[in-house]
Amino acid sequence: MKVKVRVQLSDKERNAAFEIVKECNKVDQTYRVPYLDNNYNDDPHMPSFVLAYEDDVVVGFLSIYADEPNEAEVSLYVLPAYRCQGIGRSLLDELAKIAKRYHLTEISYVSENNFMKQHPAFIDKYIYKAEENEIWMEQLGREFSLNEKSDLKVLLADLSLVGEIAEFQAQAFDNSFILAEKYASESINDENCLLYVLKKDGQVRASCSVDISLGTNYLFGLAVQEGYQGQGLGSYLVQSILNDLYKRNGRLCQIVVEAQNVGALRLYNRLGFEPKSEIIYLKRK
């Protein structure tokens, strides 16, 4: 077995990693697809992927999502036929080297409830907080009857709107303005991402991004400006986005919602999203 470290995946490597995810999800009855790029990582030069090869074929990989200093979310996948052969251990050993070099002191390992039920031994090695769990939801593409409002307009963002978007996203996600600005800029510049904004009376008041890189529509980063929440702007934006995506590609739509966010879960249920899996963030004991 050979291990290779990458800052960014080539198209061939990304396709191989995606095929591994699909096979693992099929066998493990899981649903999540990790982000297979490094666009949002705080250090653009930090290795973000570790690949395991057998006879020039990728049989496992580890991804590092680190959009804030010292913190990282790690996803690890090994093809079922190659498990229990030390591949996962080798990938984690390489992670340890990267973590030490780039000062990643707060590492979470992303898993799913279905996987943990099938492999209960993992529970003995890790801890997690149930209140941090998230629900993976999916919806087959569909179009909604939307009562358009004259004071609301939904459109794709361009770079001239980055400042407006970052200002309220920083508040919504409790991030720095610089980090929010980076997120907005990367979403706009990425050809595999769509950043929608909602304007009310000519001013940007809400936004949401959609990743289209892996054959589905993955919605993320929904935010409504403080002072304009509870007015139905988020619901209006999401319905407008779903309508546009249905016309644009008709693909399966996916979203992750905090398990304790009852209001958001209720909203997406109304919009046809069904809960598929529970995402768990593990930390070593």
Side-chain angles (χ1 to χ4, degrees), residues 82-111:
Y82 289 85
R83 292 176 179 174
C84 300
Q85 298 178 31
I87 293 175
R89 182 68 266 166
S90 296
L91 294 173
L92 290 171
D93 287 345
E94 204 62 44
L95 167 67
K97 299 176 187 177
I98 296 170
K100 183 177 181 180
R101 181 179 177 185
Y102 290 90
H103 310 291
L104 301 177
T105 55
E106 295 292 328
I107 298 177
S108 296
Y109 300 86
V110 189
S111 187

Side-chain angles (χ1 to χ4, degrees), residues 62-163:
L62 178 149
S63 68
I64 306 170
Y65 183 86
D67 61 351
E68 295 195 44
N70 309 122
E71 298 180 10
E73 293 179 3
V74 172
S75 301
L76 191 154
Y77 292 83
V78 177
L79 284 173
Y82 289 85
R83 292 176 179 174
C84 300
Q85 298 178 31
I87 293 175
R89 182 68 266 166
S90 296
L91 294 173
L92 290 171
D93 287 345
E94 204 62 44
L95 167 67
K97 299 176 187 177
I98 296 170
K100 183 177 181 180
R101 181 179 177 185
Y102 290 90
H103 310 291
L104 301 177
T105 55
E106 295 292 328
I107 298 177
S108 296
Y109 300 86
V110 189
S111 187
E112 297 184 45
N113 195 39
N114 284 348
F115 180 86
M116 299 303 290
K117 286 181 178 178
Q118 297 174 52
H119 303 86
F122 278 90
I123 295 294
D124 297 331
K125 302 176 183 178
Y126 298 91
I127 58 174
Y128 72 95
K129 297 178 180 179
E131 61 269 22
E132 295 178 355
N133 292 1
E134 296 175 330
I135 306 300
W136 182 277
M137 306 183 77
E138 295 184 347
Q139 178 240 57
L140 295 175
R142 55 174 286 195
E143 194 168 12
F144 294 86
S145 177
L146 183 65
N147 293 324
E148 296 189 6
K149 300 180 180 180
S150 59
D151 61 333
L152 301 181
K153 183 179 181 181
V154 175
L155 65 154
L156 287 172
D158 58 40
L159 291 174
S160 68
L161 298 174
V162 167

Side-chain angles (χ1 to χ4, degrees), residues 10 120 136 160 181 205 228 285:
S10 67
W136 182 277
S160 68
E181 192 175 42
R205 303 301 185 191
Y228 290 85
K285 289 184 176 179

Side-chain angles (χ1 to χ4, degrees), residues 4-267:
K4 298 182 180 181
V5 176
R6 297 282 188 264
V7 172
Q8 199 168 33
L9 297 176
S10 67
D11 289 342
K12 182 179 180 180
E13 290 169 336
R14 184 178 294 106
N15 290 337
F18 184 44
E19 290 302 317
I20 290 173
V21 172
K22 290 196 293 185
E23 179 64 19
C24 289
N25 282 349
K26 180 180 178 181
V27 171
D28 298 328
Q29 297 179 310
T30 50
Y31 289 84
R32 179 179 176 269
V33 179
Y35 187 55
L36 297 178
D37 213 324
N38 73 331
N39 289 343
Y40 301 111
N41 279 1
D42 179 64
D43 186 340
H45 306 295
M46 184 193 77
S48 300
F49 301 94
V50 184
L51 306 173
Y53 281 82
E54 287 281 2
D55 298 325
D56 296 322
V57 176
V58 182
V59 297
F61 76 95
L62 178 149
S63 68
I64 306 170
Y65 183 86
D67 61 351
E68 295 195 44
N70 309 122
E71 298 180 10
E73 293 179 3
V74 172
S75 301
L76 191 154
Y77 292 83
V78 177
L79 284 173
Y82 289 85
R83 292 176 179 174
C84 300
Q85 298 178 31
I87 293 175
R89 182 68 266 166
S90 296
L91 294 173
L92 290 171
D93 287 345
E94 204 62 44
L95 167 67
K97 299 176 187 177
I98 296 170
K100 183 177 181 180
R101 181 179 177 185
Y102 290 90
H103 310 291
L104 301 177
T105 55
E106 295 292 328
I107 298 177
S108 296
Y109 300 86
V110 189
S111 187
E112 297 184 45
N113 195 39
N114 284 348
F115 180 86
M116 299 303 290
K117 286 181 178 178
Q118 297 174 52
H119 303 86
F122 278 90
I123 295 294
D124 297 331
K125 302 176 183 178
Y126 298 91
I127 58 174
Y128 72 95
K129 297 178 180 179
E131 61 269 22
E132 295 178 355
N133 292 1
E134 296 175 330
I135 306 300
W136 182 277
M137 306 183 77
E138 295 184 347
Q139 178 240 57
L140 295 175
R142 55 174 286 195
E143 194 168 12
F144 294 86
S145 177
L146 183 65
N147 293 324
E148 296 189 6
K149 300 180 180 180
S150 59
D151 61 333
L152 301 181
K153 183 179 181 181
V154 175
L155 65 154
L156 287 172
D158 58 40
L159 291 174
S160 68
L161 298 174
V162 167
E164 284 188 72
I165 297 168
E167 188 172 350
F168 72 82
Q169 282 197 347
Q171 291 181 333
F173 298 118
D174 194 24
N175 289 329
S176 68
F177 178 84
I178 293 176
L179 181 59
E181 192 175 42
K182 174 182 172 66
Y183 263 110
S185 298
E186 292 291 352
S187 294
I188 292 170
N189 288 325
D190 187 350
E191 63 181 11
N192 288 313
C193 188
L194 304 169
L195 175 53
Y196 293 86
V197 295
L198 178 145
K199 286 188 174 183
K200 179 176 173 61
D201 297 325
Q203 299 295 314
V204 176
R205 303 301 185 191
S207 66
C208 182
S209 297
V210 183
D211 186 295
I212 59 173
S213 64
L214 296 174
T216 60
N217 297 315
Y218 176 69
L219 284 71
F220 67 99
L222 174 64
V224 178
Q225 185 174 355
E226 189 175 351
Y228 290 85
Q229 298 168 358
Q231 300 179 23
L233 299 188
S235 176
Y236 189 93
L237 174 58
V238 172
Q239 288 185 71
S240 298
I241 291 173
L242 294 175
N243 284 350
D244 185 63
L245 293 173
Y246 182 75
K247 295 174 185 176
R248 188 181 291 268
N249 58 40
R251 296 174 180 173
L252 178 74
C253 294
Q254 302 165 319
I255 196 166
V256 171
V257 182
E258 292 178 358
Q260 293 191 330
N261 192 338
V262 178
L265 290 170
R266 189 179 298 119
L267 166 64

